[in-house]
Amino acid sequence: MHKTPEFPDLLRLIDERSSAFRAAIAAAPSLDVQVPTCPEWTLSDLVQHIGERRRLWAATVAAGPGATSKTPARGDAVAPQEREGVLAWLAASTELLLAALREAGPDQGCFTGWGVTQTPHTAGGVARHQVQEIAVHTYDAQLTVGDPAALPVEVALDGVEESLFIGSFTRSAWPHEPTAFDFHATEGRSWRLTVDGDGARTTRLPAAGEHRNAAGLSVRGTASDLVLWRYDRISVDSLQLDGDRELLDLLYAWEPEDWA
């Protein structure tokens, strides 16, 4: 049975993945090495991105429902140069975000940065997305230091859905014959992305093999691989595709106005 993680679980997962990110940074021989999955960044750039954005989202959540854009980051938004200072700064950045989320609670309105999607404009929606952001960037850091690990199952299962709810929702008409894309996590959860004249939206499905109507294309893999593929960290060749592979090219080439 599908279940979105509760708000306390989202906060716990942000904290856990942030700790894993710091562990990868602590293990790096240098922060000047290039991040393979973010080729324009070094580890130092990735550190700055992570810490600065935690502080930015902390301020944005604290600004409440009246904010119409991201709020300037809280505290010192520039990472220190020495390693020990970097790790302390990252930890403080995470705590600022967690404190703001705890204070707000899951239902408080919040600027999110995304338009009309299947994810609400609330502090809870921000927390859910922040789990995925820190999880994927933790993978980036681990890969850079030569010790990549799959995303934890709890994180990845929610991440497949969360990425579809935000990144693949539109009210713009699909310019081709209506079809559907099914995503099956080997851990036992499935989702359907339907594209037609009403746009694109995602629904949960029963376990793979239990639903009647076949999709135009089915994509199968571990939840971690599905998330990492959705965020362009691994190739689609890492997944099992069944059906019309050309549909995936059409989906990639589609550029609805509200995805701009």
Side-chain angles (χ1 to χ4, degrees):
M1 179 179 178
H2 288 228
K3 184 179 179 183
T4 302
E6 299 290 338
F7 190 63
D9 292 322
L10 295 173
L11 302 189
R12 170 179 56 82
L13 293 171
I14 291 172
D15 193 33
E16 289 177 1
R17 288 297 84 202
S18 297
S19 295
F21 180 84
R22 294 195 301 276
I25 297 305
S30 170
L31 298 187
D32 294 329
V33 294
Q34 187 178 55
V35 180
T37 41
C38 304
E40 296 182 356
W41 285 356
T42 63
L43 268 182
S44 181
D45 295 323
L46 183 57
V47 163
Q48 176 62 40
H49 173 77
I50 288 295
E52 182 179 6
R53 284 184 64 83
R54 294 332 88 190
R55 291 165 184 259
L56 181 152
W57 281 112
T60 300
V61 169
T68 57
S69 64
K70 292 188 181 76
T71 304
R74 283 186 161 184
D76 187 353
V78 179
Q81 297 300 308
E82 61 281 358
R83 184 74 62 94
E84 186 174 323
V86 162
L87 297 175
W89 179 78
L90 284 170
S93 301
T94 299
E95 186 50 44
L96 282 171
L97 173 61
L98 292 174
L101 288 168
R102 291 189 199 101
E103 179 68 23
D107 300 323
Q108 176 180 290
C110 180
F111 174 81
T112 61
W114 53 76
V116 178
T117 71
Q118 291 179 252
T119 296
H121 298 271
T122 61
V126 169
R128 192 182 187 195
H129 191 62
Q130 287 305 300
V131 172
Q132 300 308 315
E133 182 166 0
I134 187 60
V136 172
H137 282 317
T138 296
Y139 172 84
D140 293 331
Q142 291 173 339
L143 179 67
T144 303
V145 300
D147 190 25
L151 274 60
V153 173
E154 183 180 11
V155 171
L157 283 172
D158 193 52
V160 179
E161 178 171 293
E162 203 268 349
S163 72
L164 289 166
F165 276 12
I166 290 180
S168 295
F169 177 85
T170 180
R171 290 176 175 167
S172 298
W174 170 250
H176 309 287
E177 287 295 316
T179 190
F181 300 83
D182 283 356
F183 300 89
H184 303 299
T186 56
E187 294 86 351
R189 293 188 191 172
S190 297
W191 302 262
R192 171 162 292 180
L193 172 64
T194 300
V195 290
D196 55 24
D198 292 326
R201 63 250 173 232
T202 298
T203 53
R204 295 171 175 176
L205 290 174
E210 294 183 12
H211 40 279
R212 299 176 182 175
N213 300 324
L217 179 70
S218 293
V219 183
R220 187 182 311 273
T222 66
S224 177
D225 281 351
L226 288 170
V227 172
L228 293 174
W229 166 63
R230 290 279 299 169
Y231 284 99
D232 294 325
R233 265 46 184 193
I234 63 173
S235 166
V236 72
D237 295 334
S238 303
L239 304 169
Q240 177 186 336
L241 302 184
D242 296 304
D244 186 353
R245 295 176 65 105
E246 292 184 0
L247 288 173
L248 200 58
D249 296 330
L250 293 178
L251 185 64
Y252 275 132
W254 190 28
E255 297 183 353
E257 291 183 1
D258 51 1
W259 283 1

